[in-house]
Amino acid sequence: MMLSRLLASGEVKFGALLGLVAVIATPVAAADLHAYVGAGLRQPVTAIADAFEKETGNKVELEFGGSGQLLARFDEAGTGDIFIPGSLFYADKLEKQKQVLSRQVVVRHTPVLAVAKNKAGEIKSFADLARPGVRIGIGDPKAMALGRSAEDILKASGLQEKIEPNIVVRAATIKQLELYLFDGNVDAAIVSASGVAMNMDKVSLIQIPDDWYEAELVPVVVLATTKDRKVAEAFVRRLSSPEGLETWKRFGFQPAD
């Protein structure tokens, strides 16, 4: 109606009229987010991102990898909205680089010693990891959060020197490590409780004493390079909401204390 009145009055020139038509006709586009996500967090973050997209129309592009690998990718690209590593260690690094607008701890990353089912009768304790011929997998401490936890656990066990000769794999991501275990390439591995929660038919678990390691906390960081802080913060709220935490728990994660 307004457009027809302006046209009839002759007050709008043709070029300006085309611009006005374009503004009226162009819909407001939903914001897209790019999130760097630790590989071990794939299942819950994917589920929450899908729900967020359906609720808001804002697409979340997820890039997975070892937390160390993702930090290197971000440093090289210099773009992105969200960073969700498996440890505060990487959030602290981003903080030192002045790349953090906000950060929030959401859940805990708890390690366990997982043993292949066909080896459960032979490996019943950490001492059994030192037996000749046992094949062990851990994470690369330079590439992933639980790799550093595994190093701490081996030191605290008092058996590190005896166990280390049996380590045949130092994986770059928790998913790679789990596949080595599930496929029978290693007999035992220090993995996350969440990673094996959906595969208990393939492994048996040996609990690790709490005082052998410091639990890794999973933070969600809004990066200084975000193009839409409002939408990024909304996604953080969805990740830490009661509904979001229920999703985390479904995949074996526990809320951070």
Side-chain angles (χ1 to χ4, degrees):
M1 183 66 70
M2 180 186 72
L3 181 59
S4 61
R5 286 202 304 268
L6 289 173
L7 185 60
S9 69
E11 294 177 7
V12 179
K13 293 183 179 180
F14 184 70
L17 177 60
L18 289 178
L20 180 59
V21 170
V23 170
I24 294 172
T26 302
V28 178
D32 291 347
L33 299 178
H34 185 94
Y36 300 91
V37 184
L41 315 176
R42 176 187 292 268
Q43 290 176 308
V45 174
T46 298
I48 295 169
D50 288 345
F52 180 77
E53 288 182 14
K54 290 176 183 177
E55 292 168 5
T56 67
N58 297 303
K59 182 176 175 56
V60 184
E61 180 184 84
L62 303 175
E63 180 177 351
F64 298 101
S67 296
Q69 294 175 325
L70 292 174
L71 185 61
R73 283 185 218 164
F74 169 69
D75 287 341
E76 181 178 356
T79 60
D81 303 277
I82 301 283
F83 199 99
I84 313 175
S87 169
L88 285 174
F89 174 80
Y90 301 98
D92 291 341
K93 281 198 166 187
L94 287 167
E95 196 90 62
K96 290 177 182 177
Q97 297 172 9
K98 301 187 184 303
Q99 293 289 0
V100 176
L101 289 181
S102 67
R103 56 189 276 180
Q104 179 176 342
V105 173
V106 182
V107 291
R108 287 184 288 118
H109 220 28
T110 305
V112 293
L113 176 60
V115 180
K117 281 287 188 183
N118 65 333
K119 295 292 181 177
E122 302 171 33
I123 303 173
K124 299 180 179 179
S125 68
F126 264 81
D128 291 331
L129 296 180
R131 293 170 54 187
V134 174
R135 300 169 303 164
I136 302 166
I138 65 172
D140 181 348
K142 295 181 180 179
M144 57 183 276
L146 284 179
R148 294 185 296 105
S149 295
E151 295 284 350
D152 292 340
I153 289 165
L154 293 180
K155 289 177 185 177
S157 73
L159 298 166
Q160 185 174 17
E161 291 185 4
K162 296 180 179 180
I163 291 175
E164 278 196 338
N166 288 342
I167 297 174
V168 297
V169 168
R170 284 182 168 83
T173 73
I174 194 66
K175 286 302 176 186
Q176 288 178 355
L177 188 55
E178 289 164 6
L179 287 175
Y180 285 130
L181 179 64
F182 299 154
D183 292 345
N185 295 309
V186 297
D187 303 318
I190 296 175
V191 295
S192 68
S194 58
V196 295
M198 311 296 287
N199 295 277
M200 290 305 297
D201 59 321
K202 300 177 182 178
V203 298
S204 62
L205 302 184
I206 297 174
Q207 296 300 318
I208 300 171
D210 292 342
D211 59 354
W212 283 15
Y213 66 95
E214 185 174 344
E216 294 286 7
L217 300 175
V218 176
V220 181
V221 173
V222 175
L223 295 166
T225 53
T226 183
K227 295 179 180 178
D228 196 322
R229 181 173 183 174
K230 183 177 180 180
V231 175
E233 296 283 8
F235 183 50
V236 173
R237 289 194 297 273
R238 187 66 178 77
L239 287 162
S240 58
S241 68
E243 297 82 3
L245 291 175
E246 283 301 316
T247 301
W248 286 103
K249 285 193 281 187
R250 192 168 80 242
F251 291 102
F253 290 86
Q254 294 301 314
D257 296 330

